[in-house]
Amino acid sequence: MDDSSPAESIDNTKEKKKSRRPANTAFRQQRLKAWQPILTPKTVIPLFFVIGIICAPIGGLLIYASSTVKELRIDYTNCFRDAPTDTAGPMDASLVFPSFKENNTIDALWQRTSPINHTYDGFTVENLTRCTLTFKIPEEMSAPVLLYYRLENFYQNHRRYVASFYDKQLAGDDVSYDEVSSSSCQPLAVNDTLRKAYYPCGLIANSLFNDTIGNPVLLNAPAQEGTLNQTYEMKNTSIAWESDKDLYKPRVNPNFDNIIPPPNWAIRYPNGTYTTENPPPNLHDDEHFMVWMRTAGLPTFSKLYGRNDTSNMLVGTYSMDIIDNFRTDEYQGKKSIVITTLSVMGGKNNFLGILWLVVGGFCIALALLFLITNLIKPRKLGDHTYLSWNNAPSSAAAKGKGKASGPAIGMATGRDLS
């Protein structure tokens, strides 16, 4: 039987191929209007001069602002071991870093007392070491005066360390043992033997800086109310970011049976456990904890410990007691206290000013180099003879070795001229 079906029916059964051609629009066909500057000596040289003239003064102002900051840093890393016990002895000059306008030579003393007892929230801890630093403030430090602790070679930016916390626990939620065990607090989330969760859990919380830094005391101050010593109060509030305070809340569950302090905190609680008399800390009010939990990006960093926003720090000799618990020698690190003022640009830091000066100086140097080059050996704008593919090949005839075999001039068309 003959097939009388039309040929069009065969074509209709085939799927129509879709065109892969982009739509005919200005964007898809790359016909959008564009502007490309033509870099000429008349535009580049003035541009470099302008950038240099702007950056260099800014760098100078930043360095000047940094120089107005008065600062004293004292390294007390080995006080627990090297400081004398009978009476205060001089510290090595390499451990004292003063930065004042006129007097940058300060003789500091240190002394250790051990063993001593110290009370933390009603619980007395025995066999501790107290380090007493005695130093002189040669120039009056205007408020606000900030007290920092500075750590060196402490890598808070380690990937596993940074992630080792449990946000729900810090927010005060009633989380179970299993929830903490499966959280990101590992490897310090729970105590498998006691079947209790650490509160707060994680490596960051466990390594909390636990030196207790006392207020500076001005010795032989003008007599006030029958005393010759005057305490310069450093408050421990307003030292954390306001945004951080919203992340930490007190526990909603008053039951402490399912939690225990982290290993490095256990010494501050009776038998290493929380009790009604010695409950867990209220993280919402513990700004030292908040400051520590905001991890630093570099191995050398400073964290705010206290501040005085109202009164100036007078000239004189000061004494400061520090309960030395945080041993940095175990990881080849160092620790210091820093007493500093502020400028309009913040604390003492010359790096930003130096960076602006370097950028400004580099731009001015480039501008001068381009200017001299353009004056000595100018070149016509758009001269195609400078293009590498438009240069004539080396001629053997020019060297007296016969006629060159190649073309005399290579044109953009690729053809030779006879």
Side-chain angles (χ1 to χ4, degrees), residues 364-374:
I364 293 176
L366 285 180
L368 292 175
L369 177 62
F370 292 159
L371 178 62
I372 295 174
T373 304
N374 189 57

Short mmCIF file of all heavy atoms in Angstrom, two decimals, residues 364-374:
data_model
loop_
_atom_site.label_atom_id
_atom_site.label_comp_id
_atom_site.label_asym_id
_atom_site.label_seq_id
_atom_site.Cartn_x
_atom_site.Cartn_y
_atom_site.Cartn_z
N ILE A 364 53.96 60.73 44.15
CA ILE A 364 54.74 61.91 43.75
C ILE A 364 56.01 61.49 43.02
O ILE A 364 56.40 62.10 42.01
CB ILE A 364 55.06 62.77 44.99
CG1 ILE A 364 53.76 63.37 45.54
CG2 ILE A 364 56.06 63.86 44.64
CD1 ILE A 364 53.96 64.17 46.81
N ALA A 365 56.65 60.44 43.50
CA ALA A 365 57.87 59.95 42.83
C ALA A 365 57.55 59.48 41.41
O ALA A 365 58.31 59.77 40.46
CB ALA A 365 58.50 58.83 43.64
N LEU A 366 56.44 58.76 41.24
CA LEU A 366 56.05 58.33 39.90
C LEU A 366 55.72 59.51 39.00
O LEU A 366 56.08 59.53 37.81
CB LEU A 366 54.85 57.39 39.97
CG LEU A 366 55.11 55.96 40.45
CD1 LEU A 366 53.80 55.17 40.48
CD2 LEU A 366 56.12 55.26 39.55
N ALA A 367 55.05 60.51 39.57
CA ALA A 367 54.72 61.70 38.78
C ALA A 367 55.98 62.40 38.30
O ALA A 367 56.06 62.83 37.14
CB ALA A 367 53.84 62.64 39.60
N LEU A 368 56.97 62.55 39.17
CA LEU A 368 58.23 63.19 38.78
C LEU A 368 58.96 62.36 37.73
O LEU A 368 59.52 62.90 36.76
CB LEU A 368 59.12 63.39 40.01
CG LEU A 368 58.62 64.42 41.05
CD1 LEU A 368 59.52 64.41 42.27
CD2 LEU A 368 58.57 65.81 40.42
N LEU A 369 58.95 61.06 37.90
CA LEU A 369 59.62 60.18 36.93
C LEU A 369 58.97 60.29 35.55
O LEU A 369 59.66 60.43 34.53
CB LEU A 369 59.57 58.75 37.43
CG LEU A 369 60.17 57.67 36.50
CD1 LEU A 369 61.66 57.93 36.28
CD2 LEU A 369 59.94 56.28 37.08
N PHE A 370 57.63 60.25 35.53
CA PHE A 370 56.93 60.37 34.25
C PHE A 370 57.15 61.74 33.63
O PHE A 370 57.27 61.88 32.40
CB PHE A 370 55.44 60.11 34.45
CG PHE A 370 55.12 58.69 34.81
CD1 PHE A 370 53.92 58.36 35.43
CD2 PHE A 370 56.02 57.67 34.55
CE1 PHE A 370 53.63 57.06 35.76
CE2 PHE A 370 55.74 56.36 34.88
CZ PHE A 370 54.54 56.05 35.49
N LEU A 371 57.17 62.79 34.47
CA LEU A 371 57.37 64.14 33.95
C LEU A 371 58.74 64.29 33.32
O LEU A 371 58.88 64.84 32.21
CB LEU A 371 57.18 65.15 35.09
CG LEU A 371 57.39 66.63 34.71
CD1 LEU A 371 56.39 67.04 33.64
CD2 LEU A 371 57.28 67.50 35.94
N ILE A 372 59.77 63.82 34.00
CA ILE A 372 61.13 63.92 33.46
C ILE A 372 61.25 63.10 32.17
O ILE A 372 61.83 63.56 31.18
CB ILE A 372 62.15 63.45 34.51
CG1 ILE A 372 62.14 64.40 35.72
CG2 ILE A 372 63.55 63.36 33.92
CD1 ILE A 372 63.00 63.93 36.87
N THR A 373 60.68 61.90 32.18
CA THR A 373 60.73 61.06 30.98
C THR A 373 60.01 61.73 29.81
O THR A 373 60.48 61.69 28.66
CB THR A 373 60.09 59.70 31.27
OG1 THR A 373 60.76 59.10 32.38
CG2 THR A 373 60.19 58.78 30.07
N ASN A 374 58.88 62.36 30.09
CA ASN A 374 58.12 63.01 29.02
C ASN A 374 58.83 64.24 28.48
O ASN A 374 58.69 64.58 27.31
CB ASN A 374 56.73 63.39 29.55
CG ASN A 374 55.82 63.88 28.45
OD1 ASN A 374 55.58 63.17 27.47
ND2 ASN A 374 55.30 65.08 28.60
#
